[in-house]
Amino acid sequence: EAKRDPGTSYRYYDRELHITAGHQLRLEADLRNALRGNELEVYYQPRIDLATEEVRGVECLLRWNHPQRGLVGPDEFIPVAERSGLIVPIGYWVIEQACKRLKEADGLGYPGLVFAVNLSFRQFHDRKMTETIFRIIFNANIDTSLLELELTESAMMHDPEYAQRCLRELNQLGISFALDDFGTGFSSLSNLQHLPISLVKIDKSFVQELGHSADAEHIIRAIISLAHSLQISVVAEGVETEGQLEFLRQQHCDEIQGYYYARPMPWERLVEFLNNQGKAACL
Ligand code: C2E
Ligand code: MG
Ligand code: MG
Ligand code: MG
């Protein structure tokens, strides 16, 4: 009797793994349909310039309006999209959307708004990346200086020579680059000094430790001062409280992004938001 117990729990685990694998396959099939069936939507989260208190740009964040499960966030399906390779066509679709909205923003009287798009590891290593992005921005006929691509340290450091070549090629077309989730990887800004990076985004895990950990304060101070000495601007992500905002302002952080100011929102809501407050009333 006692000996059967471990066996039972083993089978239980086995079944769990099985269900998980099945769940992944289902998600993958659903995601394939989602891209074809208009279930994917891009949300936009404003980024505020602390000096001018104006919306400097927006980050494009993918959402999935799943017919049964409702709104699904990217943390749930980006890993599936990444493993299956679906992230490649999905990623190009997001860039197309960003270009389309960029033109609309211009028409609505917001001509200088920067649109930031996330690029995942697999997208960045797609052989046709530079030529596909070139084709998208050429067809969209946008001001390329308003398009920014966000990459993580690990995506850039996997093959530094490749990264350097791609970033330079795209940078020559006017596209700028931001280093996303900065501080969570193992590289340092000095490893990245040969890359055309104009912005670092401090990971929200550090911002959210402000007030709870002296280390977080030191790390944020150090990132800002090093970035500025390299002529790189700094955005703090995940700003939720006035205390965090005040600290970042004192440290001369350039921009903030976070729920304190605004959440990611559908395009129509962003337009209302911009119309109602060109300036950041709450700051
Ligand atoms: P990320 O690029 O670091 O994006 C910032 C994330 O922080 C977003 O989560 C945003 O909603 C969230 N955030 C912003 N302000 C706050 C705040 O004050 N508090 C908290 N708790 N969170 C805040 P989201 O939209 O769930 O996206 C998660 C990640 O999924 C993104 O992290 C990005 O890595 C990835 N992702 C989103 N859209 C795309 C896409 O189109 N392509 C690719 N490759 N990845 C994407
Ligand atoms: Mg990002
Ligand atoms: Mg980030
Ligand atoms: Mg993140």
Side-chain angles (χ1 to χ4, degrees):
E1 188 76 43
K3 278 198 172 172
R4 243 202 256 150
D5 260 357
T8 312
S9 64
Y10 189 77
R11 269 204 301 279
Y12 173 74
Y13 269 111
D14 198 31
R15 199 164 59 214
E16 282 275 288
L17 287 174
H18 216 74
I19 288 167
T20 305
H23 180 69
Q24 296 283 327
L25 282 176
R26 166 74 72 81
L27 260 181
E28 197 181 310
D30 282 0
L31 197 51
R32 217 174 280 279
N33 288 327
L35 181 60
R36 281 196 293 256
N38 290 325
E39 289 166 22
L40 297 180
E41 184 176 357
V42 180
Y43 275 41
Y44 302 84
Q45 186 180 31
R47 234 165 64 189
I48 313 309
D49 185 316
L50 285 178
T52 63
E53 306 202 340
E54 273 167 342
V55 180
R56 176 89 184 77
V58 291
E59 179 172 10
C60 303
L61 294 160
L62 203 49
R63 298 289 181 266
W64 180 6
N65 293 301
H66 192 285
Q68 281 91 42
R69 298 168 62 209
L71 200 64
V72 183
D75 286 335
E76 230 181 301
F77 65 87
I78 298 269
V80 178
E82 182 85 4
R83 264 196 297 281
S84 62
L86 274 171
I87 193 64
V88 175
I90 290 174
Y92 293 135
W93 178 80
V94 176
I95 298 175
E96 282 168 0
Q97 293 300 301
C99 290
K100 175 178 136 194
R101 297 311 192 187
L102 202 156
K103 296 217 93 168
E104 277 180 55
D106 188 16
L108 291 166
Y110 304 102
L113 208 62
V114 170
F115 282 70
V117 177
N118 293 283
L119 278 194
S120 74
F121 186 93
R122 181 121 175 210
Q123 275 176 277
F124 186 60
H125 291 91
D126 173 38
R127 284 169 178 282
K128 298 206 162 143
M129 182 197 54
T130 52
E131 81 183 65
T132 308
I133 292 180
F134 177 78
R135 187 170 41 76
I136 292 171
I137 61 180
F138 182 81
N139 288 339
N141 191 25
I142 55 153
D143 175 354
T144 52
S145 70
L146 298 175
L147 183 63
E148 193 172 271
L149 298 176
E150 298 190 2
L151 285 159
T152 58
E153 297 163 73
S154 53
M156 286 201 220
M157 295 320 292
H158 173 70
D159 182 349
E161 272 172 36
Y162 172 81
Q164 193 169 69
R165 194 173 67 243
C166 291
L167 263 59
R168 286 198 175 150
E169 272 177 41
L170 292 169
N171 188 238
Q172 268 159 12
L173 299 174
I175 296 173
S176 57
F177 289 90
L179 193 52
D180 205 355
D181 302 342
F182 190 71
T184 55
F186 296 100
S187 67
S188 70
L189 275 184
S190 58
N191 279 338
L192 303 156
Q193 64 182 326
H194 301 298
L195 297 172
I197 292 162
S198 43
L199 193 82
V200 298
K201 300 189 78 174
I202 300 176
D203 193 67
K204 59 176 175 285
S205 60
F206 298 106
V207 175
Q208 295 181 347
E209 279 296 306
L210 283 173
H212 308 288
S213 129
D215 285 350
E217 284 189 20
H218 296 144
I219 291 167
I220 290 177
R221 257 199 216 106
I223 292 175
I224 293 175
S225 106
L226 183 57
H228 283 172
S229 70
L230 295 169
Q231 256 59 256
I232 293 174
S233 298
V234 183
V235 178
E237 62 177 30
V239 178
E240 292 183 358
T241 70
E242 196 171 343
Q244 293 162 354
L245 172 71
E246 276 321 311
F247 175 82
L248 292 160
R249 203 204 288 280
Q250 278 163 23
Q251 302 308 315
H252 306 290
C253 184
D254 301 280
E255 296 175 45
I256 59 142
Q257 181 180 337
Y259 298 171
Y260 183 73
Y261 182 68
R263 287 182 179 253
M265 54 189 109
W267 176 252
E268 294 69 25
R269 286 238 324 272
L270 178 77
V271 171
E272 280 172 37
F273 182 89
L274 292 172
N275 288 339
N276 291 336
Q277 45 186 125
K279 290 241 171 193
C282 72
L283 298 190

